[in-house]
Amino acid sequence: MSKGYVLVVDDEPDIRGLVREILEDEGYEVATAESGSEARGLLHARQPDLVLLDIWMPGEDGISLLREWAGGGTPAFPVVMISGHGTVETAVEATRQGAVDFVEKPLSMGKLIATVEQALQQPVTAAAGADGMSAMIEPVGRSTVMRNLREQAERVAASESWVLVTGEPGSGRKCLARYIHHLSPRRGGPLVEVAAGTIAGQSAAEELFGQQRGGRVIPGRLESAAGGTLILDGATDLDGEAQTRLASAIDAGGFQRVGDSQRIPLDVRVIAITRHDLAAEAAAGQFREDLAYSLSVIPMWVPPLREHAEDIPELVSFYVDRLVEAEQLGYRRFTVAAQNRLRNHDWPGNVRELRNLVQRLLVLGDGLDIDVGEVEEALSVVRTGSTEGEWPPALTLDLPLREAREHFERAYLQKQLQRADGSVAQLARLAGMERTHLYRKLRSLGIDPRETGESGGGRA
């Protein structure tokens, strides 16, 4: 019996032949394609259990194919990228867009087999978080405000109404949005998460509605989320063109792919997330009033951590357990005095700041107990600014030029993101960059402005 059906997409015949030979010897069924068009034909005939996809191919590159298969979410099958020398950064970017792993050329037989086996064991999810903790569903906390929030979410989830989730950055807004989806009748459908700032300009129609070119269908965000939920993160970052397109689809109850005459019904629940007052933005002329009404049928507000500090011991325990399990970190426990110190902190970064602090103490500390002195020292580092946040960044002449440039770009964009209060639209203006290019740059540098780490705590 075959161990799985693997599709290999690479323009080099030697690579295709080598990979086929290796995998068939291991008991896999293998098909090969030398181009994107040939891969589409094979995919149409039969869905593979795994795709090995070359990044650099003439005509159509692997990243474009990956985006097409993901359709704004995650491909229906695991994808492992094949990367040539000097393209590791691009391969890492691909993993952020849905690929589960990558292997480098020249191919190592052992590495290839191990990667394929591991990829086939991984479940494919529609909305995985960058920090590996997106499976968290129920917001943590026994305080009155958190109990009320969960009860409200349960009532809201039973309806089909669109929801506007507001609150401070890091407070757990995205966790609440996911929680609502998983409680709703749409939980069997896709959960697609998108940063609103990526839907902009002339490409807004293609991003939202998809397109059809030469018989090839590329679904947009709304179609990818059909039957499920679309989480629109940073809703006020939608530019004017995207606002108009989305408002027209809502008004018509459907849309057409670009280049196609077929009408597709609008079958999606949108949960919008923002830190801003959407009604005030609309009143000031910064946001379409009709779209603001549509997005905020049911408003929900996530409280900052300082307003439910009594939940901190439970949150700390939760994050320790999750981080030990997810990242194989050594277990450590917080003393009562350390927990009390955490309860008295003001937490400007909210739950995300707490989670990062717990992770830092697990990674850098020694010994079983975390005492109040160690907590105080960690909080002091946060107040004065860590090495990652230093400005101006230290000039390191020992690094190769490319790494030194990346070091500066990462520090520069992190600093500008702070100035922009997390708004990608404002960051684009400060940095003088076009938004789509800016998002690619942020992903390549490992900077996530979409707050995928903003889980807020939760129970799977």
Side-chain angles (χ1 to χ4, degrees), residues 133 305 312 315-317 319-320 323 327 329-330 332 334 337-365 370-384 386 453:
M133 304 182 78
L305 182 54
I312 286 176
L315 282 163
V316 166
S317 177
Y319 281 128
V320 168
L323 289 165
E327 301 187 16
L329 299 178
R332 304 187 72 201
F334 286 71
Q339 293 181 43
N340 287 336
R341 176 62 186 91
L342 293 176
R343 291 183 62 171
N344 290 319
H345 183 58
D346 56 359
W347 299 110
N350 292 296
V351 178
R352 184 171 62 239
E353 180 185 354
L354 175 63
R355 187 253 188 205
N356 291 343
L357 183 74
V358 171
Q359 183 178 32
R360 186 181 304 115
L361 290 169
L362 292 181
V363 170
L364 300 178
I370 300 174
D371 60 22
V372 67
E374 191 173 352
V375 166
E376 193 67 60
E377 182 178 355
L379 291 173
S380 176
V381 169
V382 172
R383 285 193 298 267
T384 58
S386 64

Side-chain angles (χ1 to χ4, degrees), residues 20 31 34 109 116 163 201 249 253 294 299 356 374 383 416 427:
R20 177 195 282 274
E34 65 177 356
M109 182 182 302
V116 168
V163 183
S294 297
N356 291 343
E374 191 173 352
R383 285 193 298 267
Q416 295 288 47
L427 174 60

